[in-house]
Amino acid sequence: MGDYIRDLRALKVRAGQPSLQELQRRSGIARSTLSDALSPRRRELPRLEVCLALVRACGVRAREEARWRERWQQIAEARDAGRPAPRADESASAVHTGTAPRQLPYAVRHFTGRTRELNRLDELMADRRTSCGAVVISAIAGTAGVGKTTLALHFAHQVADRFPDGQLFANLRGFDPAADPVAAADVARGFLDALGVPGHRIPADPEGQLVPHRATFARS
C-alpha cells in the first residue's frame, strides 16, 4: 500500500506540483481528503474513487487511469486475502511507463484576444539554436490579474507538439495564500524524476541537482 501512495505523490510531482486547492478544483474532492490520501504516514489504501479522481486531476489519460484502477484492485484483493501487496515493479499495472512528461495544467477552454502577444511568442519560437537544440527562454510580465498564466498556458498547449520529448511545469506558489513558496531544489528534483533520471544518478546536494551536466538523463 505504501508503494501506491508513494506513486500517487510522485504523480503529483510529475504533474507540476499543483496545490491541494487546485487539485480540489479539478477533482471535486475535499482538500482534507486529498491531503489524507497523499500523506506519507498513511497506512491504509485510500478509497478507489478518491485515487481515480486524484490521478485524473493530475492529467493522466484513460489508459493510464485504467492501470491505476487495476493496481488498486490488485492491492485490495491481496489485502482481503491476507497476501502481501504486489510491488509496483511486479504488477502489470505499474504506473511508470517511461513516456515523456506531460505536465501542462489545463488551459482555459474559451480563450480570446492576445493576438499580438501570441504572434510575438511564436516569433521567439523560431529563434531556436538548432546546433544545440536550445530555445530562447521567455518571460511574460505584467501586473497581477491581467492573465499572464492564462496566456502562457494557452500558448504552451498550442506548441506542445513541437516538444515531443515532453513539457515540464512547476507552480512556484509565489503568492499562494494556502501554501509556502516551492524551493528551487524541490522543483529541480521533480523535473529530474519526471524526465526519468535514475535516483542513483541524481546528485544528493540540491545545488548539484541544478547543474545540468551533473545528472545523466535517461532516454527512451
Side-chain angles (χ1 to χ4, degrees), residues 112-185:
T112 60
R114 299 295 186 188
T115 303
R116 183 180 64 180
E117 289 83 0
L118 289 170
N119 289 338
R120 178 57 180 148
L121 289 169
D122 200 50
E123 291 171 1
L124 291 172
M125 280 284 297
D127 192 12
R128 182 178 302 192
R129 303 294 186 262
T130 56
S131 60
C132 63
V135 298
V136 173
I137 297 176
S138 305
I140 299 175
T143 57
V146 297
K148 298 184 298 295
T149 301
T150 300
L151 171 62
L153 284 176
H154 179 77
F155 181 74
H157 280 280
Q158 276 191 334
V159 299
D161 60 338
R162 305 190 203 178
F163 298 90
D165 290 334
Q167 305 92 41
L168 299 174
F169 175 87
N171 179 3
L172 301 180
R173 298 203 295 264
F175 299 97
D176 191 331
D180 294 330
V182 180

Side-chain angles (χ1 to χ4, degrees), residues 107-113 150 154:
V108 174
R109 184 174 182 180
H110 301 292
F111 183 93
T112 60
T150 300
H154 179 77

